[in-house]
């Protein structure tokens, strides 16, 4: 979809305008347009200029710009605008907490043009005198730069997967492929991705490669051959496509899915059995006879193991578990009965409850929890006590009318900086579910933040801790928090921990999901939906849960409605 690209450009434009000190209304118009284009379910390339104008926040002018981009792959206004500020200055904005006003100031006063300049000045302590910059800020800027550096070269899964799916779709449509699969870290649902690996079989590999290197997503072609081609997409991700023989497809899929560590272990095992595994198949070393390779299962079967799902192929115990017959039965999409973290337009969501019910039913769900923000989160339209109680009455009335579907009346309650809850207990006790989470005070010490979360968990009405580390992959590091302590307290208090499925969050991360599972802490996989299409983010949560070895019984929202309600009311200390 072109939508993400257009949204990124509109956001860039807003950034540059802001650095230039342009009209705030104009800046906000670009930001709003970016958000709305990003949220569209349909590709802007398939929407006529007339229809484009009907999208909220897109007038004739912006519709024209979108159309221009779809037609030409560029936007004149954007290209001209970029010439007005040093390109590195825009990159400075990716340093967390550093906004356009500061960027402008840094440029005007110190001629800082890019991240390297910024780092140099911060290290030398030369930023301090500037308005609004203190020693602590310099330290935070350096931390932020270090984070950006760590992430360069790897892209968040949530940015890469839609690109890969777009390419697969086009290949299916236009190229003579028979089998087609994603491989590599993307197939393992790793949270960051270096490059996209795709495998195919075909009777006409040349034609497949021809189609591939001419796809609209392609910016540069690195190499083109009959068995392997590599391109760079317009987003800057490398994609390798390999066309292999039908008889080797399974072996190639196993090989290129990795991980490398997992493959090395498999090959060592093979050697001990007098076998050889490579991307072409499994062979008997003595006779060179091919024993298998058409199907991925062949590899595992010949080594005397059950099939190991891609998500756990990391050599972190899966091979031992497989040999002992102890592989976990991993959770799947079909196990999910509902979503426990959903916003309506009463806070910062985009839809009313009725629209959300329809969307949830269409996904086969049995229930959803309405969890708008609480009053402390003013910027997100948090609900007052009166408003959340009114919503609660409305939901109870709706539940009487609904057939085969239930709403849970809830809240995403802010845990305040001092650790106190944003609603009193006599409000919380009327709700079906309470999600508690942190939205401020990210710079507190590890002890403070851990204490805040633990004290929230001690409240008998708090059912789930949402996005427990606050990270945004590639954009914002987790706040300092002792997750081991949090998990321990979760176990003791009977509080569930969320796997927030929003693609840039994936929070809990896979490693801690596994720890939670081992400790017997309940998990909940939620999308944090603000716009309906985001319900589909559930697959990312499932991917993360599977990477953490989680099964159906580890996850709250696999329970049916009645069992779930019983479970929520069963928390220790619940009156
Ligand atoms: P990344 O870094 O996100 O692209 O991660 P992967 O796992 O996709 O790594 P990539 O793209 O370098 O290679 C894809 C797969 O190919 C990898 O998971 C395993 C296999 N592979 C690549 N290089 C080697 C190697 O030197 N030895 C073995 N055994 N397997 C390899
Ligand atoms: Ca890869
Ligand atoms: Zn939320």
């Amino acid at each position: 979809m072109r939508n993400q690209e257009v949204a990124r450009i509109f956001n860039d434009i807003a950034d540059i305008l802001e650095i230039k000190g342009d009209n705030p209304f104009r800046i906000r118009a670009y930001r709003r347009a970016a958000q709305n284009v990003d949220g569209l379910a349909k590709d802007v390339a398939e929407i006529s200029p007339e229809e484009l104008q009907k999208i909220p926040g897109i007038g004739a002018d912006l519709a024209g710009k979108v159309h221009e981009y779809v037609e030409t792959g560029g936007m004149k206004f954007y290209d001209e605008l970029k010439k007005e500020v040093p390109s590195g200055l825009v990159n400075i904005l990716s340093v967390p907490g550093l906004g356009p006003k500061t960027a402008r100031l840094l440029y005007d006063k110190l001629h800082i043009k890019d991240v390297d300049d910024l780092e140099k000045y911060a290290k030398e302590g030369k930023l301090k005198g500037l308005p609004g910059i203190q020693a602590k800020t310099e330290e935070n800027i350096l931390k932020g730069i270090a984070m950006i550096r760590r992430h360069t070269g790897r892209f968040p899964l949530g940015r890469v997967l839609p690109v890969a799916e777009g390419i697969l779709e086009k290949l299916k449509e236009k190229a003579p492929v028979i089998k087609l699969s994603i491989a590599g870290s993307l197939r393992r649902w790793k949270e960051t991705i270096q490059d996209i690996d795709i495998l195919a079989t075909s009777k006409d590999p040349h034609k497949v490669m021809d189609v591939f290197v001419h796809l609209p997503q392609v910016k540069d072609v690195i190499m083109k051959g009959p068995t392997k081609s590599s391109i760079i997409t317009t987003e800057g991700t490398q994609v390798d496509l390999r066309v292999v023989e039908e008889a080797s497809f399974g072996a190639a899929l196993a090989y290129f899915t990795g991980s490398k560590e997992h493959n090395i272990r498999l090959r060592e095992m093979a050697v001990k059995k007098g076998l050889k595994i490579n991307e072409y198949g499994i062979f008997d070393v003595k006779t060179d006879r091919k024993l298998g390779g058409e199907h991925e299962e062949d590899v595992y079967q010949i080594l005397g193991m059950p099939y190991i799902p891609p998500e756990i192929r990391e050599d972190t115990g899966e091979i031992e578990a497989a040999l002992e017959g102890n592989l976990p039965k991993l959770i799947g999409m079909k196990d999910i009965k509902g979503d426990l973290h959903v916003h309506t337009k009463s806070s910062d969501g985009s839809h009313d409850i009725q629209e959300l019910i329809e969307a949830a039913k269409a996904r086969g769900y049995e229930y959803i929890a309405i969890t708008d923000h609480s009053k402390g989160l003013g910027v997100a339209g948090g609900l007052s006590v009166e408003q959340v109680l009114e919503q609660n009455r409305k939901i109870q009335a709706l539940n009487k009318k609904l057939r085969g579907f239930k709403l849970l009346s809830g809240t995403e309650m802010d845990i305040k900086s001092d650790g106190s809850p944003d609603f009193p207990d006599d409000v919380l006790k009327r709700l079906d579910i309470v999600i508690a989470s942190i939205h401020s005070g990210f710079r507190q010490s590890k002890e403070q933040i851990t204490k805040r979360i633990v004290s929230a968990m001690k409240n008998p009405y708090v059912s789930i801790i949402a996005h427990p580390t606050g990270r945004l992959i590639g954009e914002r590091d987790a706040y300092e928090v002792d997750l081991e302590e949090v998990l321990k307290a979760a176990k003791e208090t009977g509080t569930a921990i969320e796997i927030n499925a929003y693609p840039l969050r994936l929070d809990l991360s896979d490693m801690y999901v596994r720890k939670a599972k081992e400790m017997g802490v309940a998990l909940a996989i939620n999308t944090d939906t603000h716009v309906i299409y985001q319900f589909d983010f559930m697959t990312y949560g499932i991917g993360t849960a599977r990477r953490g070895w989680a099964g159906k019984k580890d996850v709250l929202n696999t329970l049916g409605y009645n069992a779930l309600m019983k479970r929520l009311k069963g928390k220790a200390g619940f009156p």
Side-chain angles (χ1 to χ4, degrees):
M1 294 230 296
R2 291 305 184 81
N3 303 15
Q4 282 192 352
E5 295 164 37
V6 171
R8 202 199 62 227
I9 291 176
F10 281 173
N11 269 323
D12 275 1
I13 290 176
D15 286 343
I16 299 173
L17 292 175
E18 214 166 342
I19 290 174
K20 285 180 59 194
D22 207 279
N23 177 347
F25 290 101
R26 192 166 177 226
I27 294 165
R28 205 173 310 150
Y30 275 102
R31 296 228 188 271
R32 188 153 168 249
Q35 191 178 345
N36 287 327
V37 168
D38 199 22
L40 288 177
K42 204 170 156 189
D43 194 331
V44 286
E46 282 152 25
I47 305 177
S48 71
E50 296 75 42
E51 287 293 309
L52 278 174
Q53 290 190 40
K54 293 186 190 152
I55 300 167
I58 309 268
D61 175 42
L62 292 188
K65 290 196 169 80
V66 174
H67 186 64
E68 180 195 351
Y69 183 74
V70 169
E71 290 291 303
T72 67
M75 209 182 283
K76 266 212 194 73
F77 173 68
Y78 177 51
D79 296 337
E80 291 301 316
L81 197 64
K82 277 198 291 193
K83 290 181 197 152
E84 296 182 33
V85 298
S87 61
L89 199 55
V90 179
N91 296 340
I92 283 183
L93 298 181
S94 46
V95 178
L98 209 153
K101 281 211 187 70
T102 316
R104 174 74 193 261
L105 190 76
L106 294 170
Y107 181 60
D108 287 347
K109 300 269 187 229
L110 300 171
H111 306 290
I112 289 176
K113 296 184 303 308
D114 53 31
V115 176
D116 289 344
D117 286 351
L118 180 66
E119 185 177 31
K120 186 165 150 272
Y121 278 85
K123 273 194 181 142
E124 292 169 3
K126 286 187 181 154
L127 303 177
K128 262 195 282 295
L130 293 177
I133 293 191
Q134 289 119 25
K136 183 77 181 160
T137 321
E138 283 185 334
E139 197 182 301
N140 288 329
I141 286 174
L142 287 173
K143 269 193 201 158
I145 293 174
M147 188 199 78
I148 297 175
R149 296 258 158 83
R150 274 205 303 285
H151 284 291
T152 43
R154 296 196 72 82
F155 299 83
L157 172 68
R159 298 246 182 268
V160 176
L161 187 56
V163 174
E165 281 172 346
I167 290 173
L168 285 194
E169 200 177 296
K170 282 277 183 279
L171 286 175
K172 265 185 222 154
E173 185 187 311
K174 295 182 168 172
V177 291
I178 302 167
K179 290 204 177 96
L180 187 64
S181 175
I182 287 179
S185 50
L186 197 52
R187 185 164 180 245
R188 305 197 312 275
W189 289 83
K190 216 175 143 154
E191 65 187 36
T192 61
I193 306 290
Q194 174 99 41
D195 56 26
I196 300 173
D197 304 280
I198 303 177
L199 285 187
T201 62
S202 174
K203 293 207 161 62
D204 190 354
H206 284 278
K207 173 80 183 154
V208 173
M209 293 308 191
D210 257 346
V211 172
F212 177 60
V213 300
H214 289 108
L215 290 179
Q217 288 95 335
V218 175
K219 192 172 86 189
D220 289 315
V221 178
I222 299 172
M223 62 166 287
K224 179 172 177 260
T227 57
K228 181 185 174 190
S229 299
S230 298
I231 61 100
I232 303 284
T233 68
T234 49
E235 284 94 352
T237 320
Q238 179 170 333
V239 186
D240 298 343
L241 171 65
R242 291 182 171 83
V243 180
V244 301
E245 297 289 334
E246 202 68 36
S248 304
F249 183 75
L253 189 56
Y255 183 89
F256 290 110
T257 294
S259 66
K260 193 171 159 185
E261 292 73 19
H262 177 90
N263 288 354
I264 289 172
R265 287 289 308 279
L266 294 187
R267 280 209 307 267
E268 285 170 1
M269 286 179 62
V271 169
K272 284 194 191 132
K273 289 179 188 276
L275 305 171
K276 182 179 81 187
I277 303 180
N278 56 29
E279 63 264 55
Y280 304 105
I282 308 113
F283 303 86
D284 186 312
V285 174
K286 265 199 204 110
T287 61
D288 218 23
R289 197 169 69 92
K290 186 168 177 176
L291 306 174
E294 188 177 353
H295 304 286
E296 204 179 24
E297 286 81 355
D298 300 348
V299 177
Y300 294 97
Q301 199 195 346
I302 292 168
L303 291 177
M305 279 186 276
Y307 179 79
I308 300 180
E311 294 90 337
I312 61 172
R313 296 183 195 166
E314 299 288 349
D315 190 24
T316 54
E318 75 280 8
I319 291 170
E320 291 76 7
L323 288 171
E324 292 159 10
N326 282 333
L327 271 184
K329 182 158 172 20
L330 302 181
I331 188 170
M333 266 307 280
K334 62 172 191 333
D335 296 320
I336 296 292
K337 300 269 167 53
D339 198 325
L340 298 175
H341 188 162
V342 178
H343 296 271
T344 77
K345 61 182 179 193
S346 299
S347 64
D348 58 348
S350 296
H351 306 275
D352 61 30
I353 292 181
Q354 204 55 49
E355 291 169 315
L356 291 164
I357 294 174
E358 294 313 317
K361 278 181 166 175
R363 284 159 179 80
Y365 287 163
E366 209 180 291
Y367 52 79
I368 52 171
I370 301 297
T371 56
D372 279 314
H373 293 287
S374 63
K375 61 184 192 312
L377 211 61
V379 287
L383 271 52
S384 66
V385 166
E386 294 72 34
Q387 285 169 325
V388 76
L389 290 178
E390 190 197 314
Q391 187 183 62
N392 175 254
R393 282 190 293 275
K394 188 172 151 194
I395 287 174
Q396 285 177 2
L398 270 171
N399 268 339
K400 291 207 178 92
K401 284 190 283 181
L402 289 170
R403 293 285 162 262
F405 189 85
K406 288 285 187 185
L407 291 168
L408 280 81
S409 166
T411 177
E412 178 176 8
M413 183 181 67
D414 190 39
I415 304 171
K416 295 198 278 194
S417 294
D418 63 359
S420 61
D422 203 17
F423 286 138
D425 281 2
D426 63 336
V427 172
L428 298 182
K429 75 175 180 205
R430 301 218 211 154
L431 305 178
D432 298 320
I433 187 166
V434 176
I435 293 182
S437 56
I438 284 187
H439 298 97
S440 60
F442 282 22
R443 302 231 159 108
Q444 289 178 342
S445 71
K446 193 173 193 167
E447 293 69 36
Q448 267 174 311
I449 293 192
T450 308
K451 224 169 98 190
R452 273 166 84 186
I453 297 180
V454 170
S455 70
M457 286 193 285
K458 284 184 180 155
N459 184 311
Y461 301 107
V462 170
S463 335
I464 301 174
I465 298 294
H467 40 74
T469 78
R471 72 164 178 178
L472 291 175
I473 300 169
E475 293 183 7
R476 181 174 80 200
D477 271 344
Y479 39 68
E480 301 272 341
V481 57
D482 187 340
L483 275 180
E484 305 259 347
E485 274 307 304
V486 168
L487 292 178
K488 234 167 42 194
K491 175 69 184 164
E492 277 162 23
T493 58
T495 315
I497 302 290
E498 182 177 78
I499 300 175
N500 191 293
Y502 190 80
L504 289 189
R505 288 192 183 270
L506 305 182
D507 182 11
L508 276 186
S509 62
D510 46 24
M511 202 179 97
Y512 282 98
V513 170
R514 190 155 168 199
K515 216 158 250 175
K517 180 203 157 92
E518 279 162 10
M519 292 169 69
V521 172
L523 298 162
I525 310 177
N526 300 327
T527 61
D528 207 346
T529 284
H530 289 71
V531 189
I532 275 170
Y533 79 97
Q534 296 173 342
F535 271 130
D536 297 333
F537 290 163
M538 189 58 82
T539 51
Y540 288 88
I542 293 285
T544 304
R546 287 170 64 90
R547 282 183 63 80
W549 293 45
K552 180 179 173 178
K553 66 171 187 353
D554 302 310
V555 176
L556 272 191
N557 48 319
T558 61
L559 294 172
Y561 175 76
N562 290 330
L564 173 68
M565 290 297 279
K566 204 171 143 197
R567 177 69 186 270
L568 292 173
K569 303 285 169 197
K571 180 167 169 177
F574 212 96

